[in-house]
Amino acid sequence: MIEIKGLVKRFGDFTAVDGVSFSVARGEVLGFLGPNGAGKSTTMKMITGFLTPTAGSARVGGHDVATEPVLVKRSIGYLPEGAPAYPDMTPESFLRFIADIRGVRGTERKRRIEQVVARVHLEGVMRQSIDTLSKGYKRRVGLAAAILHDPDVLIMDEPTDGLDPNQKHEVRTLIQEMAATKAIILSTHILEEVDAVCTRAVIIARGRIVADGTPETLRARARHHNAVALTVRTDGRSDAIGAVRSELQRLPGVLGVEDASIVNGKASFVVMPKGGQSIVAEVSALARSKGWNVDELRVEPGRLDEVFRAITQSSAATPATARTAAA
Amino acid sequence: MTTVSDSSPTTLDPAAPPARAFARQGPLAGTWTITRRELGGYFLTPVAYVFIVIFLLVTGVFTFHLGGFFEAGQADLRSFFTFHPWLYLFLVPAVSMRLWSEERKQGTIELLLTLPITLAAAVLGKFLAAWAFTGIALALTFPIWITVNYLGDPDNGVILAAYLGSFLMAGGFLAIGSAISAITRNQVIAFVITVVICFGFLLSGYPMVLNFFSAWAPQPIVEAIAGFSFLTRFDSIAKGVIDLRDLVYFGTLIALCLFATGVIVETKKGG
């Protein structure tokens, strides 16, 4: 549904987006991650036809946004950052305006508006001016406007930013409900959101894609992926702690043991595997054979925020060093 | 509700024959929807009512006190129309200043320009709404027309021509204001710059400006500057002389300014 090739956007000397390419198929929910100013919003603005790319192309549903912008815009539902809407209008008149401009008329217009209003729960505020609505309601008005024409492609810039946990959950449920029939791109800062709704995550830093994969494959890049956290009751005997540590270190497949901490007579270890292999069976067998009093044994899946930090910070450092070298 | 609704799903259906979808989607499709929303928007805030009341009050004051409508003892509306250019100088920029700067300030420009309409439709739709709004204010001066018809036997053709001239002049001011409003997201700046530029357009026919140029500039240039004047053109239309050149002048001015608006919006929307 969405094909992006070598997309570049420069503002004067500043390159906001630097050769971004990816494609999104129907049924995919692509989470767009990156630090502030990484180029997420700029990329979305180019796909939706708001900004003109400096180079590269964006095609939506087979139409190029540069040559057939109106056709592209017709097939996209777009929620810009902050969900802008005309503040003096009511949700009712605003949604009617959106329907009119998208060619949804008459009884069809009435039906569609009723449908989306029920879907995002706007019933109570339809005749209040948008100005007076809370942030959560404003976001819902924007969402309703974006999905009113049942678009094939849905692009949302930080759809849950500034919402309370219940509202966030509602928006995520809504996205999950629509995911099967649409191609969806959403940008976010919240990594748990990627786990909750996205089938794929693209991490962007300094205008370039630095990682692209399912949340699981990204997590596999975490340093702690498949590490085993083990807590053993030692009753404060330091020689026991040392014994456990050396036994663990001798296990095949174990790279090292770190983070030994002792709280209330319990010693916690993090056992790091060699090359991300699974070592939980070995650790558990060892604990049983040695008769350790195990309080907790748990596999670390690897944390996305750790991967995010590692990837975006290392890639941020590279161009900077390159520039210093050139100067 | 209406019978046309059965055809509307075709525009949404990607499998629909493109020819049919295109028939309803010329480059200016959506202009009317934009105009309706904008015009409705004026009346959602007190701005519209304040504007209309002030416009009517000031025209009344100017006509009867400064213009000496009764003292002149003539059955015409010369004293009414004479002050329109000066009234527009301050009131029209107050309408045009929000056209684009407000969209940019509130971020709704991103919404507007990602809707399936062309930039031309957005620019024209917003301009037409502003023009229709000033048209409504102008039309509400009709009691003075009734008054003059009640008191005497005026030449209604001349009055109609003067109304047309006044409306065209308002359109010219608005188009200039539309382009200025696209430059800045600050409405006060848009207002001040528009007033200054419109002042220049008004005065370019006056001796104080022309004398300044005629001292050193060649005659054709002086004549060209005089030709830019709203006042000269408006005066001739207000006398009942509808010259095609005057219509072309206002039409061209509006078209050029709207084109400039489009170019400015396009280049500035990213920043």
Side-chain angles (χ1 to χ4, degrees):
Chain A
M1 291 300 303
I2 308 171
E3 293 159 71
I4 287 147
K5 285 203 189 97
L7 215 51
V8 175
K9 181 70 188 178
R10 289 194 195 93
F11 298 105
D13 284 341
F14 175 68
T15 306
V17 173
D18 192 5
V20 163
S21 305
F22 61 84
S23 55
V24 188
R26 197 185 288 272
E28 268 192 295
V29 181
L30 185 139
F32 221 27
L33 306 171
N36 286 328
K40 302 185 297 278
S41 292
T42 309
T43 305
M44 291 177 143
K45 283 173 185 177
M46 285 191 280
I47 302 171
T48 53
F50 180 62
L51 292 180
T52 317
T54 310
S57 72
R59 296 176 75 83
V60 177
H63 302 289
D64 194 308
V65 70
T67 53
E68 297 170 298
V70 175
L71 281 179
V72 167
K73 288 169 186 178
R74 212 176 289 162
S75 62
I76 291 181
Y78 178 39
L79 179 69
E81 194 174 354
Y86 293 104
D88 296 326
M89 296 180 101
T90 62
E92 190 175 37
S93 57
F94 180 65
L95 291 178
R96 276 192 194 148
F97 162 68
I98 298 288
D100 285 346
I101 213 138
R102 291 203 176 270
V104 183
R105 294 202 168 82
T107 47
E108 177 70 6
R109 180 178 84 168
K110 192 162 176 264
R111 195 180 64 81
R112 289 275 176 90
I113 290 178
E114 275 169 10
Q115 226 172 38
V116 294
V117 164
R119 204 156 188 183
V120 301
H121 308 296
L122 277 175
E123 296 92 344
V125 297
M126 286 301 276
R127 289 172 186 228
Q128 216 173 312
S129 78
I130 293 176
D131 217 10
T132 63
L133 297 181
S134 70
K135 206 169 180 179
Y137 271 118
K138 274 183 193 157
R139 192 63 49 95
R140 289 187 219 179
V141 172
L143 264 173
I147 62 175
L148 182 79
H149 58 299
D150 194 20
D152 285 332
V153 171
L154 193 54
I155 296 178
M156 293 173 284
D157 202 348
E158 304 198 358
T160 60
D161 180 50
L163 301 186
D164 70 37
N166 291 337
Q167 294 168 335
K168 276 182 188 165
H169 180 75
E170 269 176 36
V171 170
R172 285 175 199 162
T173 314
L174 188 68
I175 295 169
Q176 279 164 335
E177 280 167 11
M178 295 185 297
T181 57
K182 300 185 194 306
I184 300 179
I185 301 181
L186 61 92
S187 75
T188 181
H189 285 303
I190 310 159
L191 291 147
E192 57 176 287
E193 199 154 287
V194 177
D195 274 322
V197 293
C198 298
T199 58
R200 193 171 139 206
V202 165
I203 301 182
I204 182 169
R206 299 227 166 188
R208 291 186 182 174
I209 292 181
V210 288
D212 181 351
T214 62
E216 291 74 39
T217 56
L218 285 184
R219 213 181 278 112
R221 294 168 68 160
R223 207 171 64 88
H224 282 101
H225 179 65
N226 274 346
V228 173
L230 176 73
T231 306
V232 182
R233 287 182 185 277
T234 57
D235 302 324
R237 300 204 322 273
S238 56
D239 55 326
I241 298 169
V244 170
R245 181 201 296 274
S246 56
E247 294 282 359
L248 284 171
Q249 261 161 350
R250 269 201 293 276
L251 269 182
V254 168
L255 185 70
V257 179
E258 54 181 59
D259 289 340
S261 67
I262 303 157
V263 180
N264 295 339
K266 295 177 198 169
S268 302
F269 306 90
V270 177
V271 190
M272 301 293 289
K274 278 184 191 147
Q277 56 178 292
S278 178
I279 51 166
V280 64
E282 287 84 349
V283 173
S284 140
L286 178 74
R288 212 175 303 127
S289 69
K290 297 287 176 190
W292 293 336
N293 192 356
V294 175
D295 219 47
E296 189 189 12
L297 180 73
R298 169 169 59 85
V299 181
E300 289 275 0
R303 291 201 309 274
L304 269 182
D305 59 345
E306 195 176 86
V307 180
F308 178 82
R309 252 198 323 275
I311 290 175
T312 53
Q313 281 174 355
S314 68
S315 73
T318 325
T321 25
R323 197 178 302 148
T324 328
Chain B
M1 280 194 268
T2 52
T3 49
V4 289
S5 63
D6 61 342
S7 66
S8 51
T10 53
T11 54
L12 298 164
D13 184 2
R20 189 153 175 214
F22 268 113
R24 293 155 53 93
Q25 301 291 337
L28 292 179
T31 306
W32 174 233
T33 310
I34 297 287
T35 303
R36 255 188 8 227
R37 195 213 72 78
E38 283 282 323
L39 194 55
Y42 286 116
F43 291 96
L44 286 177
T45 60
V47 176
Y49 304 99
V50 169
F51 179 88
I52 290 176
V53 167
I54 288 183
F55 179 77
L56 296 179
L57 273 180
V58 177
T59 42
V61 169
F62 277 7
T63 307
F64 294 109
H65 291 278
L66 290 177
F69 176 74
F70 292 118
E71 290 82 352
Q74 291 196 11
D76 65 23
L77 289 178
R78 289 293 298 273
S79 59
F80 167 68
F81 284 113
T82 315
F83 295 104
H84 277 201
W86 305 103
L87 211 56
Y88 285 159
L89 178 59
F90 291 99
L91 287 179
V92 168
V95 174
S96 68
M97 66 181 186
R98 57 195 293 278
L99 274 177
W100 288 98
S101 31
E102 185 140 297
E103 295 270 355
R104 281 183 55 207
K105 195 175 165 205
Q106 284 170 344
T108 43
I109 189 167
E110 196 170 347
L111 176 91
L112 181 68
L113 297 183
T114 51
L115 289 173
I117 51 164
T118 57
L119 180 60
V123 169
L124 187 63
K126 286 172 84 68
F127 167 76
L128 287 179
W131 204 10
F133 176 68
T134 52
I136 290 170
L138 187 61
L140 286 174
T141 60
F142 71 91
I144 202 160
W145 172 72
I146 293 176
T147 308
V148 79
N149 269 281
Y150 176 75
L151 292 175
D153 184 22
D155 184 342
N156 280 320
V158 172
I159 292 175
L160 193 68
Y163 265 112
L164 176 74
S166 177
F167 185 55
L168 280 174
M169 189 169 55
F173 278 146
L174 277 173
I176 293 169
S178 162
I180 305 299
S181 163
I183 294 174
T184 171
R185 66 181 65 203
N186 185 320
Q187 296 194 14
V188 177
I189 293 176
F191 176 83
V192 173
I193 295 178
T194 308
V195 169
V196 169
I197 290 182
C198 289
F199 193 53
F201 268 91
L202 270 186
L203 279 191
S204 63
Y206 262 47
M208 59 179 267
V209 173
L210 291 181
N211 288 344
F212 170 74
F213 284 104
S214 61
W216 52 274
Q219 190 59 24
I221 291 186
V222 177
E223 276 170 19
I225 291 167
F228 275 127
S229 173
F230 277 23
L231 279 180
T232 334
R233 310 236 168 224
F234 176 64
D235 279 348
S236 70
I237 300 181
K239 282 181 193 129
V241 188
I242 298 181
D243 189 333
L244 186 65
R245 280 175 304 177
D246 294 334
L247 301 185
V248 169
Y249 169 77
F250 281 115
T252 312
L253 179 84
I254 291 171
L256 282 178
C257 286
L258 291 188
F259 180 75
T261 307
V263 172
I264 294 165
V265 169
E266 179 68 31
T267 44
K268 295 215 73 165
K269 66 189 180 185

